Amino acid sequence: MQIKSIEELKSLKEKHLPLIKQRLGHRNGLGLTQVLVCSGTACTSSESEDIRIRLEEEIQNMGLADNVRVLKTGCFGFCEYGPIVMVHPGEIFYCRVQPKDVKEIVETHITGGEIVERLLYMDKHEGKRVYSIKDINFFKSQKRIVLRNCGVINPEDIGEYVARDGYFALADVVINKRKEDVIEHISKSGLRGRGGAGFLTGKKWEITATQDVTPKYVVCNADEGDPGAFMDRSILEGDPHSVLEAMAIAGYCIGAKQGYIYVRAEYPIAVKRLEIAILQASEMGLLGNNLFNSSFSFMIELRFGAGAFVCGEETSLLHSIMGQRGEPRPRPPFPAQEGLWGKPTLINNVETFANVPVVLREGWEWYSGQGTSTSKGSKVFSLAGRIKNTGLIEVPMGTSLRTVIFDIGGGIPGNKKFKAVQTGGPSGGCIPEEFLDLPIDYESLKETGSMMGSGGMIVMDEENCMVDIARFYLEFSQDESCGRCTPCRIGTKRILEILKRITEGHGEMEDLELLEELSYDVRDASLCGLGQTAPNPVLSTMRYFRDEYIAHVRDKRCPAGVCKGLLHYTIDEAKCAACGLCAKVCAVQAITGGRGQPYRIDPEKCVKCAACAAKCPREAILKGYQKGRGKNNNTGILTGSGSTEDRAAL
Amino acid sequence: MAGDTNFTNDIEESHKGHSYQTADAQGGFDVIKSDELTGKYMNLDLVINRYANERGQLIRILQKAQDIFGYLPEEVQAYIAERTGTPVSEVHGVVTFYSLFSTEPKGKNVFNLCMGTACYVNGAQELMDALKRRLNIDEGETTPDKLFTLKSARCIGACGLAPVLVINEDVHGKTSSSDIEKIIQSIRKKGEKSANKKH
Ligand SMILES: Cc1cc2nc3c(=O)[nH]c(=O)nc-3n(C[C@H](O)[C@H](O)[C@H](O)COP(=O)(O)O)c2cc1C
Ligand code: FES
């Protein structure tokens, strides 16, 4: 079937609407049970595909197939509690489901009508199980605009996207609107790019639209190179059509017929969903020639990244799409002027595109009413690291970091103390506790020395060493530096060397000054964003955690107990039972001893792998700093995490 | 991966200079090697024919070629260059630029340890050290018996399960060093068993 009018789109919507309504909580007497299984990457990694297949089999075997449907859906965001299975009607939310639980769900819930209590989310504060998704704290402070379809629709069925008003914005634009008016609408909404820099989207569209060179191209940046970030992937996996629709709208506005999505090859599920979505949209006539009987045609193809972080940078990305080495080039000319094959090219991020249909449908007035004065709408973040509820969240711009980390994220596990939150990935910085009440927007994050970035948020606690984290990011940037320009290629190497020196205990106080100076030089002299932002993790940790640097350099100790060069292990002779387990597990034979005698660790041989400490049944193996051996406090264990008391004592 | 029973042969095979990876299936090495290689090149031809007319598809062709051959030896790069009318230097430049491409054959089991930020702050470095020590190889290397290749990945997107170890295609979440020990031992055992069977 080819859809050529709004009426035809409406009738497709009507067909799928009842099922969708039920999933949104309407008790519309369908006489049907729907079982949604999360099929995002995280849940798939923990066997959600197996669960789905077993559910289907079990339902078939029980003769329930007429009244029960099993469906895939996109990421609910609550990855920590995956795999997730949701049953409608009732919006019953089952967490951490395993394949072996399938039988019970079918027998008890679907046939028996009773809820399987033990699989419900446990609210530890209240001490009771929570039935519905709405009552889980993780979801309470969120506002899902971009993620509105994730966990609701089946991403492999275009009809369900249409039932959520999908492609209506495209139809309206193509049939009724002038491109200038659409661009103005986007401009007025205040939408800014979600790929990092926060450039005004309407402005970018306008610049590309006014170029009088043809052909032009639309490119979606789905490279998502920030390690630890998975917003774009989840959008593509859970709601791929929202991106396709927006790209077509962009094509109409700037006068392009061809779009490319540049997606990481490391995202096989996202790639598959995109392929299915493009195929279905083409079959329905929502992509292809003469959309809605107009003269406007638009096609989309996929191009694949092959594991190079710099390819997220727009000029590198263009080279990569053309099949070349993904090296950046100086701007101007900007891609909007000279992009793919020298033609004007509009590049936007996945999440930026996913906002566009909403902006057009709900109106710019509504959209610009969300968020802060400079940053409109919402932002999706992937929360990870030392946090209880790892997952994908969406909050209005202006929400505080505290709300995100403690209310939604549930705080730090194991009663550890919050130390910093890292935003912006390798281009961003670490934000310390004093800024927890900061409302999140582009400007406020920049002021702290970090940046919005694409939305990765990594939480760190007292057991993370900030110097080591800086080293980690620099190692990343150095490794990913494409080598095109000297400041980035050599500069990051030198910075990394200094950081290594410090973490290994050979740092000098002068190194700190050198580090700072070098960081500014690399920032100011590099060719592309990679080099210009690579020093940010160093600068921000030096700004907020200078005492940790000084502890490493002057006192030769790592307060968090991470840097191996500054640690040593000893055995508490009073506690040692001479069982010999430690010696057995030691890979380098650094531990010696015998029956009835306490064991000893030879510091020369020890590689500080901590295997012995993990094995010791009596917790007799102590982790201490090189200088001044750790004292035995009440518990007798020096955890090395450096409680304030220990730190003072050392 | 299939072909466990051909364990010893696989090793001999790989010494002879090209990938052993697809030497599984249909009873292994009764198939004459050159036929197998021809088959691979025929598959490669299909890929090239499919994509050569589209602009900028060199990376796609190389990806598919790597799927077919297991890695991208010089011969394959030269072949692609010739068939697509691209200078060899350009093909080689692209291959060496992207980390997904490998010019060395991989071991039978590829351990891909995620070193993304979420995994790193949850102890991935310790795991990496343990793996290196246990397998006695460095990152990016393959054990002499061609059983294991150790690699690091950049966020595979399962950060909730950090630290994450991907073995071939299987994702292992919340991995500990004792898990690693178990996994390696069970793979070694399997290898020995099939080797014994042959003798
Ligand atoms: C080193 C580097 C890496 C980048 N990585 C990404 C990325 O993974 N995804 C992305 O959308 N933008 C990335 N960007 C930003 C892009 O260059 C570009 O600004 C963005 O895609 C524009 O889209 P937007 O206006 O919708 O934000 C990166 C920039 C730099 C300098
Ligand atoms: S950082 Fe390891 S899976 Fe994301």
Side-chain angles (χ1 to χ4, degrees):
Chain A
M1 190 182 75
Q2 293 261 318
I3 290 177
K4 290 291 175 197
S5 66
I6 292 186
E7 282 63 43
E8 283 165 356
L9 204 55
K10 271 190 187 143
S11 70
L12 181 62
K13 172 179 168 175
E14 294 305 325
K15 212 170 98 195
H16 290 268
L17 200 56
L19 290 179
I20 301 288
K21 274 194 164 163
Q22 190 193 45
R23 287 179 218 158
L24 296 173
H26 292 248
R27 301 290 168 102
N28 46 3
L30 274 184
L32 193 74
T33 305
Q34 301 189 72
V35 187
L36 269 62
V37 184
C38 178
S39 58
T41 293
C43 284
T44 304
S45 308
S46 29
E47 303 185 287
S48 77
E49 186 63 11
D50 195 22
I51 293 171
R52 193 177 58 81
I53 292 167
R54 283 206 201 188
L55 270 167
E56 275 176 356
E57 282 170 4
E58 195 66 25
I59 283 163
Q60 196 76 37
N61 291 344
M62 304 279 282
L64 297 168
D66 287 343
N67 300 321
V68 183
R69 297 231 181 124
V70 181
L71 299 151
K72 286 183 195 176
T73 192
C75 184
F76 287 91
F78 210 22
C79 306
E80 186 69 33
Y81 286 83
I84 284 162
V85 172
M86 200 164 170
V87 185
H88 300 285
E91 299 173 283
I92 306 300
F93 194 78
Y94 290 129
C95 307
R96 292 195 177 137
V97 180
Q98 291 176 3
K100 66 177 168 50
D101 299 326
V102 164
K103 217 174 158 71
E104 190 175 346
I105 294 179
V106 175
E107 282 174 1
T108 311
H109 186 148
I110 298 179
T111 332
E114 305 241 341
I115 288 166
V116 186
E117 296 266 344
R118 68 176 180 88
L119 293 175
L120 293 174
Y121 173 71
M122 178 78 192
D123 189 327
K124 295 217 176 84
H125 271 292
E126 305 270 318
K128 63 173 195 224
R129 303 259 171 202
V130 182
Y131 289 79
S132 166
I133 186 167
K134 286 191 214 104
D135 301 321
I136 298 175
N137 277 337
F138 179 78
F139 294 99
K140 274 186 190 159
S141 312
Q142 294 198 45
K143 179 162 189 145
R144 300 192 137 210
I145 297 174
V146 172
L147 299 177
R148 55 197 272 282
N149 289 333
C150 290
V152 177
I153 65 168
N154 174 358
E156 296 181 5
D157 186 346
I158 189 171
E160 301 208 341
Y161 177 67
V162 171
R164 293 283 279 158
D165 294 321
Y167 289 107
F168 279 86
L170 175 65
D172 183 45
V173 164
V174 173
I175 297 170
N176 302 321
K177 296 258 161 62
R178 288 180 346 135
K179 62 180 196 185
E180 295 80 11
D181 298 337
V182 182
I183 295 177
E184 196 188 325
H185 190 116
I186 302 280
S187 293
K188 279 187 180 157
S189 76
L191 174 63
R192 295 170 69 176
R194 301 292 195 246
F199 195 80
L200 279 166
T201 305
K203 185 95 197 144
K204 202 187 256 186
W205 287 28
E206 193 189 319
I207 297 171
T208 325
T210 48
Q211 306 294 319
D212 51 11
V213 180
T214 51
K216 298 180 190 175
Y217 300 98
V218 177
V219 169
C220 173
N221 186 346
D223 194 44
E224 197 162 53
D226 172 5
F230 48 95
M231 306 74 49
D232 294 348
R233 194 204 69 219
S234 297
I235 295 170
L236 296 174
E237 286 175 359
D239 197 13
H241 286 286
S242 64
V243 175
L244 304 188
E245 182 182 2
M247 287 178 73
I249 294 170
Y252 178 82
C253 293
I254 67 159
K257 285 163 75 169
Q258 179 69 49
Y260 293 99
I261 302 177
Y262 184 82
V263 55
R264 297 177 75 195
E266 292 96 322
Y267 283 177
I269 300 180
V271 169
K272 194 174 139 238
R273 298 263 156 83
L274 279 172
E275 282 170 345
I276 294 174
I278 291 173
L279 188 73
Q280 289 183 350
S282 308
E283 279 170 4
M284 291 270 173
L286 296 167
L287 286 178
N289 287 324
N290 303 95
L291 302 187
F292 301 100
N293 284 333
S294 71
S295 59
F296 173 61
S297 304
F298 196 73
M299 250 71 83
I300 295 177
E301 282 179 30
L302 300 183
R303 286 292 184 273
F304 298 95
F309 174 64
V310 72
C311 288
E313 196 280 332
E314 53 191 22
T315 59
S316 307
L317 183 140
L318 295 174
H319 288 142
S320 189
I321 291 186
M322 295 188 284
Q324 303 162 359
R325 289 165 68 93
E327 287 174 355
R329 62 160 172 79
R331 296 174 307 179
F334 288 92
Q337 300 153 323
E338 268 178 47
L340 284 177
W341 296 286
K343 306 292 182 191
T345 302
L346 173 76
I347 303 179
N348 275 131
N349 162 268
V350 172
E351 192 183 331
T352 314
F353 276 126
N355 270 293
V356 167
V358 186
V359 171
L360 292 176
R361 257 196 328 265
E362 305 292 328
W364 63 265
E365 298 88 345
W366 174 82
Y367 194 85
S368 62
Q370 317 280 322
T372 68
S373 60
T374 57
S375 311
K376 303 298 182 190
S378 64
K379 180 76 195 85
V380 183
F381 290 101
S382 55
L383 262 184
R386 300 290 184 113
I387 186 138
K388 278 192 188 141
N389 302 334
T390 313
L392 192 73
I393 64 147
E394 181 172 355
V395 288
M397 292 276 191
T399 307
S400 75
L401 284 165
R402 191 183 297 282
T403 306
V404 170
I405 295 165
F406 289 91
D407 297 349
I408 300 174
I412 319 290
N415 286 326
K416 295 275 161 27
K417 203 169 157 330
F418 171 88
K419 189 185 261 182
V421 54
Q422 211 280 351
T423 65
S427 314
C430 294
I431 304 172
E433 195 176 3
E434 61 196 270
F435 293 113
L436 271 179
D437 291 308
L438 198 75
I440 303 169
D441 72 11
Y442 289 97
E443 279 64 32
S444 65
L445 290 183
K446 207 164 189 174
E447 268 164 38
T448 67
S450 183
M451 63 186 270
M452 179 75 84
S454 56
M457 226 185 230
I458 311 271
V459 179
M460 295 167 195
D461 69 15
E462 54 188 329
E463 289 187 346
N464 293 120
C465 166
M466 300 319 281
V467 186
D468 183 58
I469 292 293
R471 186 201 53 81
F472 168 80
Y473 278 114
L474 254 291
E475 200 161 276
F476 180 93
S477 300
Q478 207 285 310
D479 192 36
E480 292 294 343
S481 169
C482 72
R484 184 75 197 264
C485 73
T486 322
C488 176
R489 183 183 67 236
I490 313 275
T492 55
K493 203 167 198 140
R494 293 288 104 85
I495 296 180
L496 180 60
E497 280 166 8
I498 300 176
L499 287 169
K500 275 194 174 149
R501 212 152 61 217
I502 296 177
T503 54
E504 283 163 7
H506 309 301
E508 310 280 336
M509 285 310 272
E510 296 85 76
D511 280 338
L512 297 184
E513 270 164 51
L514 192 60
L515 200 54
E516 223 159 0
E517 203 179 307
L518 203 52
S519 295
Y520 287 123
D521 290 346
V522 171
R523 187 189 71 180
D524 297 338
S526 292
L527 170 65
C528 86
L530 195 154
Q532 288 158 9
T533 57
N536 282 349
V538 182
L539 290 170
S540 83
T541 48
M542 286 189 80
R543 177 160 155 200
Y544 299 119
F545 299 96
R546 205 174 182 92
D547 54 334
E548 284 196 36
Y549 279 85
I550 292 175
H552 281 75
V553 174
R554 201 178 53 203
D555 313 336
K556 304 291 177 226
R557 85 191 161 83
C558 170
V562 171
C563 297
K564 285 190 180 156
L566 300 171
L567 284 180
H568 73 161
Y569 285 83
T570 47
I571 296 176
D572 182 347
E573 304 194 346
K575 292 190 124 202
C576 177
C579 67
L581 280 176
C582 53
K584 231 183 251 166
V585 76
C586 181
V588 292
Q589 280 89 40
I591 309 183
T592 49
R595 257 182 189 284
Q597 272 177 6
Y599 278 66
R600 289 187 173 211
I601 301 176
D602 180 350
E604 296 289 299
K605 286 189 186 162
C606 176
V607 292
K608 292 141 190 166
C609 69
C612 53
K615 204 81 188 178
C616 179
R618 298 193 140 207
E619 298 182 332
I621 297 180
L622 312 175
K623 179 156 104 173
Y625 309 120
Q626 207 102 48
K627 256 191 185 175
R629 214 173 82 71
K631 66 171 180 122
N632 280 0
N633 55 15
N634 287 343
T635 59
I637 320 159
L638 192 70
T639 60
S641 64
S643 69
T644 33
E645 205 180 300
D646 284 340
R647 273 192 236 174
L650 286 161
Chain B
M1 198 190 287
D4 280 344
T5 48
N6 293 326
F7 168 62
T8 42
N9 279 331
D10 283 357
I11 294 171
E12 286 160 27
E13 184 68 7
S14 61
H15 282 311
K16 285 183 210 146
H18 72 84
S19 165
Y20 59 90
Q21 276 205 334
T22 41
D24 44 32
Q26 330 107 14
F29 296 89
D30 299 336
V31 187
I32 301 164
K33 197 174 87 186
S34 61
D35 276 359
E36 194 191 300
L37 203 56
T38 317
K40 286 183 186 174
Y41 275 105
M42 268 160 66
N43 282 340
L44 181 56
D45 280 339
L46 291 179
V47 171
I48 294 175
N49 291 340
R50 161 80 178 73
Y51 292 113
N53 297 332
E54 290 177 24
R55 279 198 294 185
Q57 287 285 34
L58 179 59
I59 293 175
R60 181 72 152 267
I61 293 172
L62 290 169
Q63 278 167 354
K64 298 265 174 192
Q66 180 153 301
D67 289 346
I68 296 170
F69 290 86
Y71 68 114
L72 295 170
E74 266 175 36
E75 304 87 80
V76 173
Q77 292 179 35
Y79 186 80
I80 293 175
E82 195 193 308
R83 289 289 319 275
T84 56
T86 322
V88 184
S89 58
E90 196 179 319
V91 174
H92 188 68
V94 170
V95 168
T96 48
F97 185 83
Y98 295 99
S99 66
L100 219 64
F101 297 130
S102 161
T103 51
E104 300 284 330
K106 286 188 216 107
K108 200 176 177 79
N109 300 283
V110 180
F111 280 38
N112 232 326
L113 182 70
C114 178
M115 292 292 266
T117 321
C119 289
Y120 186 78
V121 302
N122 278 305
Q125 186 65 51
E126 311 245 298
L127 287 186
M128 182 52 99
D129 293 345
L131 275 169
K132 279 189 200 165
R133 229 177 11 249
R134 189 62 183 69
L135 297 173
N136 210 1
I137 48 175
D138 214 343
E139 226 181 290
E141 291 180 355
T142 302
T143 50
D145 61 6
K146 300 276 186 280
L147 257 186
F148 302 98
T149 297
L150 180 59
K151 289 175 55 173
S152 67
R154 296 274 160 75
C155 189
I156 57 137
C159 311
L161 304 172
V164 178
L165 173 65
V166 187
I167 301 175
N168 303 324
E169 307 276 276
D170 292 337
V171 179
H172 295 252
K174 312 221 163 173
T175 320
S176 67
S177 29
S178 60
D179 292 343
I180 288 180
E181 192 55 36
K182 273 182 223 144
I183 293 165
I184 293 178
Q185 272 176 7
S186 88
I187 292 176
R188 282 246 156 88
K189 233 180 235 151
K190 242 195 250 159
E192 274 163 28
K193 240 190 235 157
S194 52
N196 288 340
K197 240 189 253 164
K198 287 265 159 184
H199 294 300

Short mmCIF file of all heavy atoms in Angstrom, two decimals, chain A residues 193-199 204 221 223-226 232 309-310 312-314 347-350 352 427 528-530, ligand 1:
data_model
loop_
_atom_site.label_atom_id
_atom_site.label_comp_id
_atom_site.label_asym_id
_atom_site.label_seq_id
_atom_site.Cartn_x
_atom_site.Cartn_y
_atom_site.Cartn_z
N GLY A 193 21.07 21.86 18.71
CA GLY A 193 21.67 20.57 18.37
C GLY A 193 22.03 19.77 19.60
O GLY A 193 22.59 20.30 20.56
N ARG A 194 21.71 18.48 19.56
CA ARG A 194 21.98 17.62 20.71
C ARG A 194 23.28 16.85 20.56
O ARG A 194 23.59 16.00 21.37
CB ARG A 194 20.83 16.62 20.88
CG ARG A 194 19.46 17.25 21.09
CD ARG A 194 19.36 17.96 22.43
NE ARG A 194 17.99 18.25 22.79
CZ ARG A 194 17.47 19.47 22.89
NH1 ARG A 194 18.22 20.52 22.65
NH2 ARG A 194 16.21 19.64 23.25
N GLY A 195 24.02 17.13 19.50
CA GLY A 195 25.25 16.38 19.24
C GLY A 195 26.44 16.89 20.03
O GLY A 195 27.49 16.27 20.06
N GLY A 196 26.30 18.01 20.68
CA GLY A 196 27.41 18.48 21.50
C GLY A 196 27.48 19.99 21.58
O GLY A 196 27.40 20.57 22.66
N ALA A 197 27.59 20.64 20.45
CA ALA A 197 27.88 22.07 20.49
C ALA A 197 26.64 22.92 20.76
O ALA A 197 26.75 24.06 21.19
CB ALA A 197 28.53 22.50 19.19
N GLY A 198 25.47 22.39 20.50
CA GLY A 198 24.25 23.13 20.82
C GLY A 198 23.95 24.26 19.85
O GLY A 198 23.36 25.28 20.21
N PHE A 199 24.33 24.08 18.60
CA PHE A 199 24.04 25.09 17.58
C PHE A 199 22.54 25.12 17.30
O PHE A 199 21.87 24.09 17.32
CB PHE A 199 24.80 24.72 16.30
CG PHE A 199 24.87 25.83 15.30
CD1 PHE A 199 25.80 26.85 15.46
CD2 PHE A 199 24.03 25.88 14.21
CE1 PHE A 199 25.88 27.89 14.54
CE2 PHE A 199 24.09 26.91 13.29
CZ PHE A 199 25.03 27.92 13.45
N LYS A 204 20.80 26.44 11.35
CA LYS A 204 21.57 25.56 10.49
C LYS A 204 20.76 25.18 9.24
O LYS A 204 21.28 25.16 8.13
CB LYS A 204 21.95 24.29 11.27
CG LYS A 204 23.15 23.55 10.72
CD LYS A 204 23.37 22.24 11.43
CE LYS A 204 24.52 22.27 12.41
NZ LYS A 204 24.81 20.95 12.98
N ASN A 221 23.91 12.15 12.11
CA ASN A 221 25.10 11.71 12.81
C ASN A 221 24.71 10.73 13.92
O ASN A 221 24.22 11.13 14.97
CB ASN A 221 25.81 12.93 13.40
CG ASN A 221 27.15 12.60 14.04
OD1 ASN A 221 27.43 11.44 14.29
ND2 ASN A 221 27.95 13.62 14.30
N ASP A 223 26.93 8.44 15.12
CA ASP A 223 28.22 7.79 15.38
C ASP A 223 28.42 7.54 16.87
O ASP A 223 29.12 6.62 17.26
CB ASP A 223 29.37 8.63 14.82
CG ASP A 223 30.66 7.83 14.78
OD1 ASP A 223 30.59 6.66 14.37
OD2 ASP A 223 31.71 8.34 15.18
N GLU A 224 27.80 8.35 17.68
CA GLU A 224 27.84 8.20 19.14
C GLU A 224 29.12 7.57 19.68
O GLU A 224 29.13 6.43 20.13
CB GLU A 224 26.64 7.37 19.61
CG GLU A 224 26.39 7.54 21.10
CD GLU A 224 24.99 7.10 21.48
OE1 GLU A 224 24.59 5.97 21.15
OE2 GLU A 224 24.29 7.91 22.08
N GLY A 225 30.18 8.35 19.60
CA GLY A 225 31.48 7.80 19.97
C GLY A 225 31.81 7.88 21.44
O GLY A 225 32.71 7.21 21.92
N ASP A 226 31.10 8.72 22.19
CA ASP A 226 31.39 8.88 23.60
C ASP A 226 31.22 7.55 24.33
O ASP A 226 30.13 7.00 24.36
CB ASP A 226 30.43 9.95 24.16
CG ASP A 226 30.50 10.08 25.67
OD1 ASP A 226 31.34 9.41 26.29
OD2 ASP A 226 29.71 10.86 26.23
N ASP A 232 21.56 7.82 21.61
CA ASP A 232 21.22 7.75 20.20
C ASP A 232 20.89 6.32 19.78
O ASP A 232 19.96 6.07 19.03
CB ASP A 232 22.38 8.29 19.35
CG ASP A 232 22.60 9.77 19.59
OD1 ASP A 232 21.72 10.39 20.23
OD2 ASP A 232 23.63 10.31 19.16
N PHE A 309 36.59 7.33 16.69
CA PHE A 309 35.86 8.34 17.44
C PHE A 309 35.79 9.66 16.68
O PHE A 309 34.77 10.34 16.66
CB PHE A 309 36.55 8.55 18.79
CG PHE A 309 35.98 9.67 19.61
CD1 PHE A 309 34.68 9.62 20.08
CD2 PHE A 309 36.76 10.78 19.93
CE1 PHE A 309 34.17 10.65 20.84
CE2 PHE A 309 36.25 11.82 20.69
CZ PHE A 309 34.95 11.75 21.14
N VAL A 310 36.88 10.00 16.00
CA VAL A 310 36.95 11.30 15.34
C VAL A 310 35.87 11.42 14.26
O VAL A 310 35.46 12.52 13.89
CB VAL A 310 38.37 11.56 14.78
CG1 VAL A 310 38.63 10.70 13.57
CG2 VAL A 310 38.57 13.04 14.46
N GLY A 312 32.86 11.14 14.53
CA GLY A 312 31.69 11.85 15.03
C GLY A 312 31.78 13.34 14.71
O GLY A 312 30.79 14.04 14.62
N GLU A 313 33.00 13.82 14.54
CA GLU A 313 33.23 15.22 14.17
C GLU A 313 32.75 15.39 12.75
O GLU A 313 33.05 14.56 11.88
CB GLU A 313 34.72 15.55 14.32
CG GLU A 313 35.05 17.02 14.34
CD GLU A 313 35.08 17.66 12.96
OE1 GLU A 313 35.38 16.96 11.98
OE2 GLU A 313 34.81 18.85 12.85
N GLU A 314 32.03 16.49 12.47
CA GLU A 314 31.29 16.51 11.22
C GLU A 314 32.12 16.46 9.95
O GLU A 314 31.73 15.80 8.99
CB GLU A 314 30.31 17.69 11.20
CG GLU A 314 30.93 19.04 11.49
CD GLU A 314 29.85 20.09 11.71
OE1 GLU A 314 28.71 19.72 12.05
OE2 GLU A 314 30.14 21.28 11.52
N ILE A 347 23.98 18.49 8.62
CA ILE A 347 24.30 17.40 9.55
C ILE A 347 23.63 17.68 10.89
O ILE A 347 23.84 18.73 11.50
CB ILE A 347 25.81 17.27 9.79
CG1 ILE A 347 26.53 17.08 8.47
CG2 ILE A 347 26.11 16.11 10.72
CD1 ILE A 347 28.03 16.97 8.61
N ASN A 348 22.82 16.76 11.33
CA ASN A 348 22.25 16.85 12.68
C ASN A 348 22.38 15.51 13.39
O ASN A 348 22.49 14.46 12.77
CB ASN A 348 20.76 17.23 12.63
CG ASN A 348 20.54 18.73 12.54
OD1 ASN A 348 19.78 19.22 11.70
ND2 ASN A 348 21.22 19.49 13.39
N ASN A 349 22.33 15.62 14.68
CA ASN A 349 22.43 14.45 15.54
C ASN A 349 21.09 13.69 15.59
O ASN A 349 20.04 14.27 15.29
CB ASN A 349 22.85 14.98 16.93
CG ASN A 349 22.61 14.01 18.02
OD1 ASN A 349 21.57 14.01 18.66
ND2 ASN A 349 23.56 13.14 18.25
N VAL A 350 21.14 12.44 15.99
CA VAL A 350 19.94 11.60 16.07
C VAL A 350 18.85 12.24 16.95
O VAL A 350 17.69 12.35 16.56
CB VAL A 350 20.30 10.22 16.68
CG1 VAL A 350 19.05 9.40 16.97
CG2 VAL A 350 21.23 9.46 15.75
N THR A 352 18.55 15.30 17.93
CA THR A 352 18.06 16.56 17.35
C THR A 352 16.92 16.24 16.38
O THR A 352 15.84 16.84 16.45
CB THR A 352 19.19 17.28 16.58
OG1 THR A 352 20.37 17.28 17.35
CG2 THR A 352 18.78 18.69 16.23
N SER A 427 35.32 14.90 25.71
CA SER A 427 35.43 16.33 25.47
C SER A 427 34.96 17.14 26.66
O SER A 427 35.03 18.36 26.65
CB SER A 427 34.57 16.75 24.27
OG SER A 427 34.74 15.88 23.21
N CYS A 528 40.69 20.28 14.99
CA CYS A 528 39.26 19.99 15.10
C CYS A 528 38.84 19.85 16.56
O CYS A 528 39.66 19.93 17.47
CB CYS A 528 38.87 18.72 14.33
SG CYS A 528 39.07 17.20 15.24
N GLY A 529 37.57 19.64 16.74
CA GLY A 529 37.00 19.57 18.08
C GLY A 529 37.65 18.52 18.95
O GLY A 529 37.70 18.68 20.18
N LEU A 530 38.14 17.45 18.37
CA LEU A 530 38.72 16.40 19.20
C LEU A 530 39.89 16.95 20.03
O LEU A 530 39.91 16.86 21.24
CB LEU A 530 39.18 15.22 18.34
CG LEU A 530 39.46 13.92 19.09
CD1 LEU A 530 39.27 12.73 18.17
CD2 LEU A 530 40.83 13.85 19.71
C1 LIG C 1 35.58 14.72 18.45
C2 LIG C 1 34.12 14.96 18.19
C3 LIG C 1 33.23 13.91 18.27
C4 LIG C 1 31.89 14.10 18.02
N1 LIG C 1 31.06 13.04 18.12
C5 LIG C 1 29.75 13.22 17.85
C6 LIG C 1 28.86 12.12 17.95
O1 LIG C 1 29.26 11.01 18.29
N2 LIG C 1 27.55 12.32 17.66
C7 LIG C 1 27.08 13.55 17.29
O2 LIG C 1 25.89 13.66 17.01
N3 LIG C 1 27.89 14.60 17.22
C8 LIG C 1 29.21 14.48 17.48
N4 LIG C 1 30.04 15.55 17.39
C9 LIG C 1 29.47 16.86 17.00
C10 LIG C 1 29.37 16.99 15.48
O3 LIG C 1 30.58 17.48 14.96
C11 LIG C 1 28.28 17.93 15.04
O4 LIG C 1 28.44 19.12 15.72
C12 LIG C 1 26.89 17.45 15.33
O5 LIG C 1 26.68 16.19 14.78
C13 LIG C 1 25.92 18.43 14.75
O6 LIG C 1 24.59 18.02 15.02
P1 LIG C 1 23.62 18.88 15.94
O7 LIG C 1 23.66 20.31 15.45
O8 LIG C 1 22.30 18.26 15.75
O9 LIG C 1 24.12 18.78 17.32
C14 LIG C 1 31.40 15.40 17.66
C15 LIG C 1 32.30 16.44 17.60
C16 LIG C 1 33.63 16.26 17.87
C17 LIG C 1 34.55 17.41 17.79
#
